[in-house]
Amino acid sequence: MRKFRTGDEVVAISGKDKGKRGTIRSMVGDDAVVVEGLNRARKHVRPNPNKNEPGGVVDKDMPIHISNVALFNPATQKADRVGIRILEDGKKVRYFKSNGEVVDA
């Protein structure tokens, strides 16, 4: 079970976007995520008339390493570490380390 999933709200804990929040759009391999609004880069795109795409300079979200993001805890309004716990029925769930609250409700 992974500690981060697509759709989770995360906070950047280091780098140029430190403190910014965003939603995970996709997972890149085992150790990187693409977060909406974080680690933006300006890319020069060539026009493609076959796909009706204009050219120009485009802002694109680039992958960021998972060690540089932490899950956002709505109860404390801060970034928080995540652990994995096995319930009595054998089901695995993620929980916040600070208050023990289950992430997957």
Side-chain angles (χ1 to χ4, degrees):
M1 173 177 243
R2 293 186 173 186
K3 294 184 179 181
F4 295 104
R5 293 183 187 164
T6 303
D8 285 344
E9 190 170 4
V10 294
V11 179
I13 57 174
S14 67
K16 66 178 183 177
D17 293 325
K18 182 177 180 177
K20 290 186 181 178
R21 277 192 342 207
T23 305
I24 295 178
R25 288 201 319 197
S26 64
M27 304 291 290
V28 181
D30 290 336
D31 59 353
V33 292
V34 175
V35 181
E36 192 173 320
L38 264 68
N39 200 22
R40 295 196 76 119
R42 294 177 63 84
K43 291 286 191 181
H44 295 266
V45 178
R46 177 171 276 164
N48 188 349
N50 295 335
K51 294 183 181 176
N52 232 2
E53 293 178 354
V57 181
V58 177
D59 284 338
K60 183 179 179 185
D61 294 324
M62 301 301 285
I64 185 169
H65 198 270
I66 59 171
S67 66
N68 296 328
V69 295
L71 206 60
F72 179 73
N73 189 344
T76 60
Q77 295 292 314
K78 294 181 182 177
D80 205 347
R81 294 185 301 154
V82 178
I84 296 172
R85 181 183 293 155
I86 299 173
L87 298 177
E88 299 84 32
D89 60 350
K91 184 179 177 186
K92 288 184 179 181
V93 293
R94 299 181 298 165
Y95 70 98
F96 292 115
K97 294 262 190 168
S98 64
N99 58 1
E101 190 175 311
V102 175
V103 177
D104 311 315

